[in-house]
Amino acid sequence: MKAVKRKKAMGMMAVLAALTICLSACGSSIEDLGPGDRFVDLDELLDSEATICNDMSGSKHISGSEWRMHEVTEQETLEVIAPILEKAEIFRPITTADTYVGDPEFNEEFSPYAPWMVFQGTDYEYIVWLLDVREQLSNDYIYRDEPALAIVRRTEDGEQAYYCFLTAYDYSVLYTVMNRYVSDFDAHVTYMVD
Amino acid sequence: MKRAIVVLCLTLFLMMSFSACQAGEEPLLDEDELRELEVRVANDNCRWTERWLIEDQELIDEMISLIVDHVQVLRPYASLGFIFGNINVLLDEDRRPYAPAVFFQEKGAGYGVVMMSPGALDDVHRDDPTLAVVRYSDGREGFTERPEENWVICTMPAFYHAQLYQLLQTVTSDTLIEGVRGIL
């Protein structure tokens, strides 16, 4: 008899627990994207035509048409970059008060240490900016543990534009890969070796 | 059976405590009260000479939800001189080009929520940027001789602050553009 009662009580508690979990899940699904969420789709990136721009000439005065865009032709490079970007976590939406994103010439610190990428898909586009890399990777930067980057995803339906965080490790790897992809980097290395 | 009841009560108690924690502190502004008031937005650097009436219920719901759920009181306004002296530090024209505000009011009485820019990514307080909330009853938006009685300096988590800021910016920009088109 006792065992039956205990089973009933346990059953009730199980139902209660399930109900709690369901309610929590419903509560969280009401909101769209929030802080800490991820919104970059790995498959979309891997299926894109990617280009990297990182003008290391240091010229802050070149016009947009003169930026040197480098098409990413090696799949291996994309396979390093894409999984890192997939891990980017949303910090907050980008607003019109944020002058970092847009024409790099508006911000002197933007260039030349601000590589950016475009991933062009069939019906979507991602734009990724690394902002001011010198600051983000500075050892005494107050937020060195969570460097920020800007990611915009555009489709016909609209645009999602967020500042996101990566771990310092991922950010460094991402920057290095993007940087290395640019031919000017090789010239720089040669110079250093000489 | 007794043990089961005790465990059940304990579970219920924990659930209630958890809900209370989730709910957080009592919101600064009352949702029901805000819903009964007329909603107007302004965006001309704290002069608020022109306020556009908002009638889009979805937009109003979104604004109220962001304000009620996420605005947290930092401190009351400290009377360090004339109100503009302090408010202008937050709304400085060079650093903070726009200060969109939303008013919930009726017959010169109500509440104002004045946004400051979300701030740069290297701001020390980037995670909880600032805004100001004012309560007024005389049509003067709290710009009285004793502003400390009306103004409260608040913060919001960066994500929701940016959402509200951009929402107000978009509304006012769209309205401005429509106005210019109307003139042309």
Side-chain angles (χ1 to χ4, degrees):
Chain A
M1 193 63 179
K2 266 187 179 179
V4 174
K5 281 180 181 175
R6 192 175 293 164
K7 268 185 184 175
K8 272 188 182 175
M10 293 293 279
M12 273 176 67
M13 285 179 65
V15 170
L16 205 64
L19 199 66
T20 312
I21 291 165
C22 287
L23 283 173
S24 310
C26 288
S28 60
S29 67
I30 290 168
E31 298 244 357
D32 293 324
L33 289 171
D37 287 345
R38 298 175 180 186
F39 77 111
V40 174
D41 188 294
L42 180 64
D43 293 334
E44 284 188 344
L45 293 189
L46 291 173
D47 291 340
S48 307
E49 282 181 16
T51 46
I52 300 177
C53 178
N54 186 17
D55 199 308
M56 294 299 289
S57 66
S59 169
K60 298 170 186 172
H61 308 294
I62 54 172
S63 68
S65 58
E66 290 174 282
W67 286 329
R68 278 169 283 180
M69 301 295 294
H70 302 267
E71 191 181 341
V72 180
T73 50
E74 299 148 19
Q75 190 64 18
E76 305 88 67
T77 304
L78 205 55
E79 282 171 4
V80 174
I81 290 173
I84 291 176
L85 290 174
E86 191 204 13
K87 288 191 272 181
E89 293 181 354
I90 292 173
F91 169 48
R92 68 166 171 82
I94 297 170
T95 72
T96 43
D98 297 309
T99 50
Y100 266 110
V101 175
D103 188 341
E105 286 174 13
F106 286 148
N107 189 329
E108 291 221 336
E109 290 186 7
F110 200 109
S111 180
Y113 297 100
W116 49 286
M117 286 191 79
V118 178
F119 297 84
Q120 190 66 57
T122 47
D123 52 357
Y124 58 87
E125 179 186 59
Y126 284 89
I127 305 173
V128 177
W129 283 273
L130 258 56
L131 311 176
D132 185 356
V133 178
R134 280 177 301 181
E135 181 175 56
Q136 303 294 327
L137 292 180
S138 169
N139 284 336
D140 56 4
Y141 180 43
I142 187 171
Y143 299 115
R144 70 176 188 182
D145 292 336
E146 43 182 19
L149 70 163
I151 304 179
V152 177
R153 181 179 180 272
R154 288 186 187 138
T155 63
E156 280 184 3
D157 298 329
E159 182 178 282
Q160 295 168 294
Y162 295 105
Y163 281 136
C164 299
F165 293 141
L166 283 175
T167 62
Y169 186 95
D170 282 339
Y171 187 94
S172 299
V173 173
L174 180 65
Y175 175 64
T176 305
V177 172
M178 287 171 73
N179 207 9
R180 198 170 278 177
Y181 208 79
V182 180
S183 55
D184 283 15
F185 181 77
D186 294 334
H188 181 64
V189 170
T190 309
Y191 172 74
M192 293 293 281
V193 171
D194 289 341
Chain B
M1 187 61 185
K2 272 183 190 171
R3 194 184 293 168
I5 290 169
V6 169
V7 172
L8 194 65
C9 290
L10 193 66
T11 312
L12 283 171
F13 172 75
L14 284 173
M15 276 176 68
M16 284 165 71
S17 308
F18 179 66
S19 305
C21 286
Q22 275 194 322
E25 291 174 10
E26 199 177 319
L28 175 66
L29 301 177
D30 183 70
E31 185 173 348
D32 296 333
E33 193 181 353
L34 292 184
R35 286 191 187 284
E36 286 173 10
L37 300 171
E38 180 184 272
V39 183
R40 287 182 181 269
V41 294
N43 194 6
D44 56 354
N45 247 3
C46 223
R47 288 187 290 274
W48 308 327
T49 46
E50 193 156 13
R51 300 174 193 192
W52 293 287
L53 179 67
I54 304 297
E55 290 174 309
D56 182 337
Q57 196 53 47
E58 202 174 317
L59 199 62
I60 293 170
D61 288 346
E62 202 172 342
M63 284 180 197
I64 291 177
S65 164
L66 284 167
I67 291 165
V68 171
D69 293 347
H70 301 293
V71 171
Q72 293 153 7
V73 176
L74 174 67
R75 61 171 174 81
Y77 169 79
S79 54
L80 291 170
F82 192 53
I83 181 86
F84 278 113
N86 196 3
I87 291 295
N88 269 356
V89 171
L90 302 166
L91 306 178
D92 180 271
E93 200 159 347
D94 294 331
R95 292 184 303 124
R96 323 264 182 192
Y98 307 108
V102 54
F103 297 92
F104 302 87
Q105 61 183 23
E106 198 170 299
K107 293 176 185 170
Y111 303 91
V113 177
V114 186
M115 301 303 294
M116 285 100 203
S117 152
L121 284 177
D122 54 2
D123 268 9
V124 174
H125 297 296
R126 73 174 185 184
D127 292 338
D128 51 354
T130 323
L131 67 155
V133 175
V134 61
R135 186 184 62 184
Y136 54 93
S137 55
D138 55 1
R140 297 173 62 194
E141 290 87 26
F143 291 118
T144 62
E145 286 176 8
R146 298 182 72 85
E148 64 273 18
E149 291 175 359
N150 304 83
W151 285 88
V152 183
I153 307 299
C154 300
T155 63
M156 268 179 111
F159 184 90
Y160 305 106
H161 187 282
Q163 272 193 331
L164 183 59
Y165 181 89
Q166 195 54 30
L167 193 68
L168 296 178
Q169 281 284 53
T170 308
V171 171
T172 47
S173 304
D174 289 350
T175 316
L176 277 172
I177 290 165
E178 277 172 27
V180 172
R181 280 188 188 139
I183 292 165
L184 291 174

